[in-house]
Amino acid sequence: MPVLDLILARLAVPVVATVLVAVLVWLACRRMDAARAVAVAVPAGLIAGYAVVPGWPWAPPTAAIDKLAWMALGGALLGLAIDLGTRGRIAPAVAALVWPAAGMAWLGGPALLSGEGAGPYRFGEVSLVLGLLLARLSQVSDDRLQGPVTAAVIAVGIACLGLVSGEPRLAAIGLPLAAALSGWLLCNWPQRRFAFGAAGLLGGPGVALVLAGDAALLTGVNATLVLLVLSAVLIQPAVPAVAARVPWLAGQAVRPLVTALVLAVPSAVAVLLAWLAPGLVPSLY
């Protein structure tokens, strides 16, 4: 498949698949108390975008980047069980806290858990940070768009950081994931139609954060710059303050765009540093 066609497929297919799955699940569940299950469209879109590559490993994978696509499937199934079988925020919050640790353990395996060197310490440190960030994303997803938009910005940031750092495989998951989350934006803009349940949280933002952990611990990407990209989750509360200063930015229709632009600032800084001055910022690991 030509490179341009492959790129277009990995960007267009997730958007289309996410919208189609969201509509189909909504039609199937609209007479049930299962509105949150519609968010399963996000991991479905990611998997569809990744599967357009010839030779996709349908058997249990060994490469970390392939495991992330299977992790999206696992997150979708676990999230569906939570969405259909529980109520309230406790179960999604607990799942969010432990999901990154499970994902990093699966990706890194003996390299992180063998007890040699600083591997286990780094695994615990990164897993804790990612778990707290994912729990935060579960909180800001109540309006159905802030969490997904934040995750899309992180996914694009990690993908671009990988491209300029000599790790293009990070874009193989980051870009389709961002496209799938953009498809979710289309489903909920300008009117907020569908709730963002645990299936979307674990199979979407959960994969984005584990991708960031993979970049920091298992690749040559500068871990400090990865942390800078992840800081988008922490500055998300600044979005209302920015919108309040400009009246026409406070509308519901433009809020996702404002969120994306504000949160993209640390990612842009990280990518520029990795591209123009790769040795300027020392890496955490």
Side-chain angles (χ1 to χ4, degrees):
M1 183 181 293
V3 175
L4 180 59
D5 292 345
L6 181 59
I7 294 175
L8 291 176
R10 281 202 160 175
L11 295 179
V13 170
V15 174
V16 175
T18 299
V19 174
L20 288 178
V21 173
V23 172
L24 291 175
V25 175
W26 175 76
L27 291 174
C29 297
R30 60 180 176 175
R31 296 184 180 180
M32 304 165 53
D33 187 18
R36 293 185 300 170
V38 178
V40 74
V42 172
L46 167 60
I47 294 170
Y50 193 70
V52 299
V53 180
W56 193 69
W58 295 103
T62 56
I65 209 66
D66 297 328
K67 289 181 179 181
L68 282 168
W70 284 91
M71 186 179 177
L73 176 60
L77 296 176
L78 176 59
L80 273 178
I82 294 173
D83 290 333
L84 298 177
T86 66
R87 295 292 181 270
R89 299 182 178 182
I90 296 179
V94 172
L97 286 172
V98 302
W99 184 248
M104 290 303 303
W106 191 38
L107 262 63
L112 294 178
L113 304 174
S114 63
E116 299 178 0
Y121 169 77
R122 292 176 179 176
F123 164 78
E125 185 178 56
V126 171
S127 296
L128 177 60
V129 171
L130 296 179
L132 293 174
L133 292 179
L134 187 57
R136 169 61 183 168
L137 283 180
S138 71
Q139 294 177 341
V140 302
S141 296
D142 285 348
D143 78 334
R144 311 180 183 196
L145 283 182
Q146 298 303 305
V149 169
T150 304
V153 170
I154 291 174
V156 172
I158 295 299
C160 294
L161 198 57
L163 289 174
V164 300
S165 301
E167 296 287 347
R169 67 185 185 88
L170 295 174
I173 286 290
L175 294 181
L177 176 56
L181 291 164
S182 299
W184 181 259
L185 173 61
L186 291 178
C187 293
N188 286 276
W189 185 88
Q191 179 183 353
R192 310 294 196 262
R193 297 181 179 87
F194 309 128
F196 195 72
L201 178 71
L202 300 181
V207 175
L209 294 186
V210 174
L211 178 68
D214 172 54
L217 292 180
L218 301 175
T219 72
V221 176
N222 188 315
T224 304
L225 299 182
V226 172
L227 185 62
L228 182 58
V229 173
L230 291 175
S231 68
V233 180
L234 302 179
I235 67 173
Q236 199 277 338
V239 175
V242 174
R245 293 181 176 274
V246 184
W248 66 271
L249 293 180
Q252 188 180 47
V254 298
R255 179 60 64 86
L257 177 60
V258 175
T259 301
L261 291 177
V262 172
L263 302 189
V265 172
S267 290
V269 172
V271 172
L272 287 175
L273 286 173
W275 181 28
L276 300 177
L280 181 63
V281 179
S283 179
L284 289 173
Y285 303 127

